[in-house]
Amino acid sequence: APAFARIVAAELRGDLAAAAVAAKELEAAADREYGPLHPHTIGALATRAWLALLLQEDWAAATRLHLRTAERRDTARAPLAETLRTLRNARAAWQRLAAVDKLEAEDIRPELLRVSELIEGGRPQ
């Protein structure tokens, strides 16, 4: 609870970078305590991914964080609607990345396609 409170306090004061650092610390602590597929760990990872979108500084990191979150949510059998929303966020971050760094976007494309296939399978998009 105190770690989550630090994230919220930093976000409320507009310090998204500090919120992201606190979220990373919370994720690491949850991972050590519960493992990578526990809802608390995935929630902290999702918070990191969301903050990376809000920061709008590193689209590659935002894309990768969302892909990792989507894949873990899928593995943990989390609700599909939330997993699909995370995948959509990954695609949006990837599109922003492609607009500023085509080479980095192409490096990430195979992972985006792999995770998309994993989650969506043969579903139409």
Side-chain angles (χ1 to χ4, degrees):
F4 187 73
R6 284 197 332 269
I7 296 167
V8 172
E11 187 175 4
L12 288 175
R13 71 176 180 269
D15 191 350
L16 297 178
V21 169
K24 186 173 184 175
E25 291 169 0
L26 177 60
E27 180 193 358
D31 188 42
R32 282 190 305 274
E33 179 87 16
Y34 305 111
L37 297 179
H38 191 277
H40 294 331
T41 308
I42 294 172
L45 177 59
T47 299
R48 286 183 60 208
W50 179 248
L51 288 166
L53 282 181
L54 294 178
L55 281 165
Q56 299 184 19
E57 293 175 348
D58 186 343
W59 294 114
T63 302
R64 287 184 176 105
L65 284 167
H66 275 87
L67 289 172
R68 187 178 319 142
T69 303
E71 185 169 16
R72 282 199 192 165
R73 291 184 57 74
D74 183 69
T75 301
R77 301 189 194 287
L80 181 59
E82 293 175 33
T83 302
L84 289 171
R85 182 174 50 247
T86 303
L87 183 57
R88 284 192 303 272
N89 286 345
R91 288 181 180 139
W94 183 85
Q95 289 172 342
R96 295 293 298 266
L97 173 62
V100 297
D101 188 340
K102 290 185 188 310
L103 290 175
E104 184 76 15
E106 286 306 310
D107 284 345
I108 294 174
R109 180 191 294 270
E111 184 68 5
L112 178 62
L113 294 174
R114 185 188 67 76
V115 174
S116 295
E117 179 64 26
L118 174 73
I119 292 169
E120 295 176 324
R123 278 195 297 276
Q125 298 185 28

